[in-house]
């Protein structure tokens, strides 16, 4: 397949591009506007015979119309992705996540190209800590933040364009990813790089919030599985049974880096902070035979810590700006 990957210079998109080029024969074009979160260095070293980069915005319909004829599928990762930023300035989230997705769907409709939409478990809202339930494909939408409500909106657009216009689309909703190339504004890289710089990790609220962690490579293998064997019109949840509360993740980072487990600070909580996410990925596992490879979070975290230790040149230029933003929020 010839894949057009939007947002391929971001965290999960770049991991997907590396995964596809090393595990398949597919070719990849990345379309990315290189926002503050995009980084061309995340795409260094790729085979130019199978990879090219196009600088542009997913809201640019005429640019996208020049790209669709040479591709078999759009894999749509591009988005504003950070909840905290969506609380301070929602507009870019509406533009990229809603209008951007609409623009790509219109291109898919006009060209007949296959479309895979990358979404999040946050569209389902949150669960209580002691709730035995996990999210499934049938859980009602109930997003909490400006970010998650724009992602929910984009999912609904994909469903409408599939039903009304016959766009050949699939959707996946994944839980929290970790791994290399994640921006230092996000939880795990922020804490790892704080400790590497001699600063204390920052835990929102009391740290009891639970996230369901999955390694970015497992997200990539799941998306590839859906792209190659998924049923058009279907939604698949992606998760690897990785529930952990934030406090325990910070304690693991500290101990893996040789510091006392309690050497962190409690800071102001995120307004509207979702309590717990948990994914039931039985449909993907049963109907398409997908299995995650990174069963052991502690080993995956150790690999991720090693990556940030060895790639300071990749993250250091962005660290001060991210921390300056957090300081204005008391975090
Ligand atoms: P990211 O912020 O690291 O990367 C987003 C990329 O999209 C950047 O390279 C940015 O330049 C690009 N982009 C943003 N707006 C654009 C536009 N208008 N036109 C072109 N390019 C644009 O995000 P991420 O964490 O890699 O997330 C990627 C996708 O995966 C998003 O759709 C997100 O909702 C979804 N997702 C993320 C997670 C997670 O844990 N990070 C989990 C589930 C789903
Ligand atoms: O669930 C999937 C979602 O996961 C994706 O859709 C989002 O794009 C992605 O950013 C992520 O959202 P979260 O809000 O869960 O991720 P974040 O890394 O911002 O925060 C993870 C948890 O850690 C959350 O409970 C807030 C908390 N936190 C975060 C930061 C940055 C802290 O306690 N301290 C921090 O410094």
């Amino acid at each position: 397949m010839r894949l057009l990957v939007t947002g391929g210079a971001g965290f999960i998109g770049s991991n997907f591009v590396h995964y596809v080029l090393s595990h398949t024969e597919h070719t990849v074009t990345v379309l990315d506007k290189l926002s503050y979160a995009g980084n061309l260095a995340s795409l260094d070293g790729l085979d130019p015979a199978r990879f090219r980069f196009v600088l542009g915005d997913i809201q640019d319909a005429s640019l996208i119309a020049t790209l669709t004829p040479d591709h078999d599928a759009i894999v749509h990762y591009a988005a504003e992705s950070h909840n905290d930023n969506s609380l301070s300035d929602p507009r870019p989230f509406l533009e990229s996540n809603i209008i951007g997705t609409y623009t790509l769907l219109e291109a898919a409709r006009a060209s007949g190209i296959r479309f895979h939409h990358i979404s999040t478990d946050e569209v389902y809202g949150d669960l209580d800590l002691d709730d035995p339930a996990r999210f499934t494909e049938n859980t009602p939408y109930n997003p909490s933040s400006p970010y998650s409500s724009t992602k929910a909106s984009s999912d609904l657009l994909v469903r409408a364009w599939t039903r009304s216009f016959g766009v050949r689309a699939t959707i996946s909703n994944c839980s929290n990813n970790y791994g290399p190339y994640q921006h230092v504004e996000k939880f795990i890289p922020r804490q790892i790089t704080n400790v590497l710089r001699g600063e204390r990790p920052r835990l929102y609220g009391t740290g009891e919030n639970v996230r369901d962690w999955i390694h970015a490579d497992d997200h990539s293998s799941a998306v590839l599985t859906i792209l190659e064997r998924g049923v058009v019109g279907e939604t698949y949840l992606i998760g690897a049974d990785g529930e952990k509360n934030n406090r325990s993740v910070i304690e693991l980072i500290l101990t893996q880096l040789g510091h006392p487990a309690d050497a962190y600070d409690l800071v102001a909580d995120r307004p509207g902070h979702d309590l717990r996410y948990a994914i039931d990925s039985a449909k993907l596992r049963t109907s398409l035979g997908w299995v995650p490879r990174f069963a052991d979070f502690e080993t995956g975290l150790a690999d991720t810590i090693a990556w940030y230790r060895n790639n300071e040149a990749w993250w250091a230029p962005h660290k001060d700006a991210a921390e300056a933003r957090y300081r204005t929020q008391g975090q």
Side-chain angles (χ1 to χ4, degrees):
M1 279 190 283
R2 298 162 302 168
L3 304 178
L4 177 58
V5 178
T6 72
F11 164 45
I12 309 184
S14 62
N15 274 284
F16 178 74
V17 173
H18 285 282
Y19 191 90
V20 166
L21 291 180
S22 57
H23 289 81
T24 74
E25 302 295 311
H26 305 321
T27 62
V28 170
T29 303
V30 163
L31 170 63
D32 196 298
K33 75 171 184 181
L34 297 181
S35 74
Y36 79 95
N39 192 336
L40 265 187
S42 306
L43 297 167
D44 277 351
L46 297 173
D47 176 3
R50 292 176 56 210
F51 167 75
R52 92 181 157 112
F53 179 80
V54 175
L55 179 66
D57 196 308
I58 54 168
Q59 296 172 84
D60 183 346
S62 37
L63 171 63
I64 294 158
T66 66
L67 297 172
T68 46
D70 299 327
H71 295 89
D72 302 303
I74 296 174
V75 191
H76 176 33
Y77 287 89
E80 289 293 334
S81 67
H82 194 36
N83 277 297
D84 292 323
N85 294 344
S86 81
L87 294 163
S88 52
D89 183 13
R91 177 176 279 274
F93 289 76
L94 274 76
E95 290 167 350
S96 289
N97 302 2
I98 301 179
I99 302 299
T101 302
Y102 154 75
T103 309
L104 291 167
L105 284 167
E106 284 293 78
R109 176 187 176 191
S111 63
I113 194 173
R114 170 92 163 78
F115 188 90
H116 181 70
H117 180 61
I118 306 295
S119 192
T120 169
D121 57 0
E122 295 193 15
V123 300
Y124 301 115
D126 61 356
L127 298 162
D128 285 333
L129 293 180
D130 58 357
D131 190 338
R134 297 188 290 171
F135 300 139
T136 73
E137 288 77 5
N138 299 319
T139 304
Y141 275 37
N142 187 26
S144 315
S145 73
Y147 160 70
S148 53
S149 60
T150 61
K151 291 299 292 187
S153 306
S154 65
D155 291 10
L156 298 183
L157 293 178
V158 176
R159 289 184 185 181
W161 261 243
T162 303
R163 175 158 174 168
S164 299
F165 303 128
V167 168
R168 294 184 299 123
T170 39
I171 300 175
S172 54
N173 297 81
C174 188
S175 59
N176 284 64
N177 286 220
Y178 71 97
Y181 303 116
Q182 187 169 28
H183 195 280
V184 287
E185 69 188 352
K186 301 296 192 326
F187 178 57
I188 287 181
R190 184 182 185 206
Q191 315 312 339
I192 294 172
T193 56
N194 273 4
V195 179
L196 290 176
R197 291 217 317 192
E199 287 155 23
R200 288 164 72 89
R202 306 271 200 280
L203 191 58
Y204 292 177
T206 57
E208 63 191 336
N209 306 65
V210 169
R211 296 294 181 265
D212 188 355
W213 294 100
I214 179 172
H215 193 279
D217 268 0
D218 281 334
H219 189 181
S220 295
S221 70
V223 169
L224 200 54
T225 300
I226 296 165
L227 206 53
E228 293 175 343
R229 303 203 300 278
V231 177
V232 163
E234 293 291 317
T235 291
Y236 299 89
L237 263 55
I238 305 173
D241 301 332
E243 283 188 69
K244 298 235 169 302
N245 75 30
N246 294 339
R247 191 185 311 118
S248 69
V249 173
I250 282 200
E251 287 171 356
L252 268 176
I253 291 170
L254 281 161
T255 50
Q256 290 198 0
L257 281 164
H259 292 261
D262 62 354
Y264 59 83
D265 292 330
L266 296 179
V267 296
D269 206 355
R270 171 185 286 170
H273 196 174
D274 279 340
L275 190 51
R276 170 174 164 245
Y277 306 138
I279 289 267
D280 177 349
S281 57
K283 176 178 173 181
L284 178 62
R285 293 174 193 238
T286 308
S287 65
L288 301 184
W290 173 80
V291 277
R293 275 199 324 111
F294 287 81
D296 178 11
F297 178 75
E298 295 192 22
T299 307
L301 183 65
D303 292 349
T304 305
I305 290 174
W307 189 88
Y308 281 89
R309 201 198 272 288
N310 295 331
N311 289 278
E312 186 165 351
W314 182 90
W315 58 263
H318 309 283
K319 181 71 178 164
D320 288 341
E323 290 305 317
R325 265 205 310 275
Y326 281 123
R327 265 195 303 279
T328 65
Q329 297 160 193
Q331 294 172 322

